[in-house]
């Protein structure tokens, strides 16, 4: 696959300072080159992950939203291919020697396809789990209960976007950019990948374009739990949904909420599709489309509490 990862995103929020403090607590590393505006306050806060480098920018916007999304490719020939495909959809593009960008009409996100290095992650040691008939950890405590320090996300895994024209957004990401569909929820959503991960972008039907959540990979399920526990110790009101395991994608999850209203997910152990010929996309429905086990999702996860306000704000722009 010429596409190989999400490179970075820019999140628009009304209060940059407050939201930036949340993602510092979340475990992202704040970068020193934060841009300041004329009043001395932060205009854009930038963050990196352990393996992905700079992957999050937080900028001012009158309502919360995803402003742009970067997708990595290997070389300029890949950029050229995407540029031609975008042209076939009759979309305006901006070109450089190493990138092309266009706005998806359904999500109103500016998607930038750019030449970028692939992620070269240091392998996570396989935890020694004891099980019936298999005792591999003897005379010692589990490594996870001895861990100290802040959980640090390894990379940005995926984003979930609300689209006012789901079919058009799916066509944009697949026919133009080159994503592949891993699974679908009939008439509602498409899980699409630009890497070997099960999904990197999920586009779902919505009455307004908005960012539902971002998802950040950690080493294992214990890091999911440790990260969420630390966040909730500082502010229990951040809790949204978890701990659980999805059926689509199979990943463990725990969702929290940032001050702007976006959900952020710690995840581990997602399905990886390394041979397209060996994967058959499924069509899911009902609660299995949401999770395999865990507490039931709260209503606010399915329909964010500020959805009506987002619709009003969108119409005023």
């Amino acid at each position: 696959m010429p596409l190989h990862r999400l490179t970075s995103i820019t999140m628009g929020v009304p209060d940059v300072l407050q939201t930036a403090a949340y993602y510092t607590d979340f475990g992202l590393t704040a970068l020193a080159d934060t841009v300041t505006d004329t009043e001395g306050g932060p205009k854009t806060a930038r963050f990196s992950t352990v393996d992905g480098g700079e992957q999050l920018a937080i900028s001012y916007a009158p309502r919360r939203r995803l402003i742009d999304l970067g997708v990595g490719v290997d070389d300029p020939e890949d950029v050229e291919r995407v540029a031609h495909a975008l042209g076939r959809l009759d979309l305006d593009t901006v070109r450089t020697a190493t990138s092309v960008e266009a706005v998806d009409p359904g999500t109103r996100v500016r998607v930038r396809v750019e030449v970028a290095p692939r992620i070269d992650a240091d392998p996570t040691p396989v935890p020694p789990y004891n099980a019936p008939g298999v005792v591999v950890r003897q005379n010692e405590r589990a490594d996870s209960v001895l861990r100290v320090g802040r959980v640090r996300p390894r990379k940005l895994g995926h984003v979930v976007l609300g689209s006012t024209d789901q079919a058009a957004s799916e066509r944009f990401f697949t026919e133009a950019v080159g994503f592949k569909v891993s699974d679908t929820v009939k008439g509602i959503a498409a899980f699409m990948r630009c890497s070997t991960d099960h999904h990197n972008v999920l586009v779902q039907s919505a009455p307004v374009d908005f960012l539902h959540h971002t998802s950040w990979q950690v080493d294992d399920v214990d890091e999911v739990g440790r990260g969420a526990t630390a966040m909730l110790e500082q502010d229990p009101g951040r809790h949204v949904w978890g701990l659980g395991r999805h059926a689509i994608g199979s990943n463990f999850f725990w969702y929290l909420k940032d001050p702007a209203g976006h959900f952020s997910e710690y995840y581990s152990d997602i399905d990886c599709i390394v041979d397209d010929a060996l994967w058959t996309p499924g069509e899911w429905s009902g609660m299995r489309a949401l999770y395999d086990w865990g507490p039931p999702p709260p209503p606010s996860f399915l329909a964010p509490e500020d959805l009506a306000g987002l619709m009003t704000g969108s119409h005023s722009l």
Side-chain angles (χ1 to χ4, degrees), residues 171-185:
R171 186 165 58 251
F172 173 89
F173 279 100
T174 56
E175 295 182 12
V177 183
F179 280 62
K180 297 183 179 180
V181 175
S182 300
D183 284 302
T184 59
V185 181

Side-chain angles (χ1 to χ4, degrees), residues 13-309:
V13 301
D15 190 325
V16 174
L17 265 179
Q18 191 179 39
T19 308
Y22 171 93
Y23 285 96
T24 299
D25 291 345
F26 192 76
L28 302 183
T29 300
L31 301 177
D33 64 343
T34 296
V35 177
T36 59
D37 63 22
T38 55
E39 296 179 355
K43 184 177 181 182
T44 300
R46 303 181 186 278
F47 295 85
S48 66
T49 59
V50 173
D51 297 325
E54 184 177 326
Q55 292 204 280
L56 173 65
I58 303 173
S59 296
Y60 171 78
R63 70 173 180 94
R64 68 176 185 88
R65 61 184 297 260
L66 189 66
I67 297 172
D68 65 39
L69 168 72
V71 180
V73 296
D74 290 320
D75 53 53
E77 287 75 15
D78 298 324
V79 173
E80 185 67 22
R81 175 193 59 78
V82 174
H84 280 299
L86 288 167
R88 288 195 297 270
L89 292 184
D90 198 28
L91 294 170
D92 293 333
T93 61
V94 177
R95 285 292 310 272
T96 72
T98 58
S99 69
V100 62
E101 61 184 53
V103 175
D104 166 39
T107 64
R108 293 168 64 183
V109 172
R110 184 172 65 247
V111 176
R112 182 181 60 262
V113 177
E114 58 192 345
V115 175
R118 290 179 178 250
I119 287 179
D120 183 17
D122 291 331
T124 298
V126 178
Y129 287 118
N130 289 339
V134 183
V135 179
V136 293
R137 190 185 72 252
Q138 302 179 29
N139 308 314
E140 60 181 350
R141 302 183 197 280
D143 165 75
S144 61
V145 304
L146 302 175
R147 295 175 191 171
V148 296
R150 188 190 300 272
V151 169
R152 297 289 184 186
R154 300 288 294 264
K155 69 174 183 179
L156 170 65
H158 60 266
V159 298
V160 174
L161 301 169
S163 171
T164 56
D165 190 337
Q166 196 279 333
S169 292
E170 183 176 340
R171 186 165 58 251
F172 173 89
F173 279 100
T174 56
E175 295 182 12
V177 183
F179 280 62
K180 297 183 179 180
V181 175
S182 300
D183 284 302
T184 59
V185 181
K186 187 176 181 180
I188 297 175
F191 293 75
M192 299 174 287
R193 65 187 186 275
C194 65
S195 71
T196 58
D197 288 350
H198 177 273
H199 57 282
N200 302 105
V201 170
L202 165 59
V203 175
Q204 60 186 23
S205 296
V208 63
D209 57 277
F210 75 104
L211 172 60
H212 184 274
H213 74 263
T214 60
S215 188
W216 306 83
Q217 184 186 53
V218 294
D219 285 337
D220 55 33
V221 65
D222 287 292
E223 293 297 89
V224 173
R226 289 184 64 242
T229 298
M231 291 288 283
L232 298 181
E233 284 176 348
Q234 295 187 60
D235 182 357
R238 291 168 166 173
H239 175 71
V240 176
W241 184 29
L243 173 71
R245 186 161 194 154
H246 289 301
I248 303 178
S250 302
N251 48 298
F252 295 106
F253 66 82
W254 200 319
Y255 295 90
L256 305 142
K257 186 167 71 172
D258 75 20
H262 305 116
F263 303 135
S264 60
E265 176 190 14
Y266 290 116
Y267 82 92
S268 69
D269 191 27
I270 199 167
D271 292 335
C272 287
I273 303 168
V274 298
D275 187 338
D276 295 333
L278 298 180
W279 182 267
T280 302
E283 187 176 279
W284 299 73
S285 62
M287 296 307 287
R288 287 279 290 168
L290 289 169
Y291 70 125
D292 183 47
W293 58 259
S300 63
F301 183 82
L302 304 177
E305 295 169 347
D306 63 349
L307 195 58

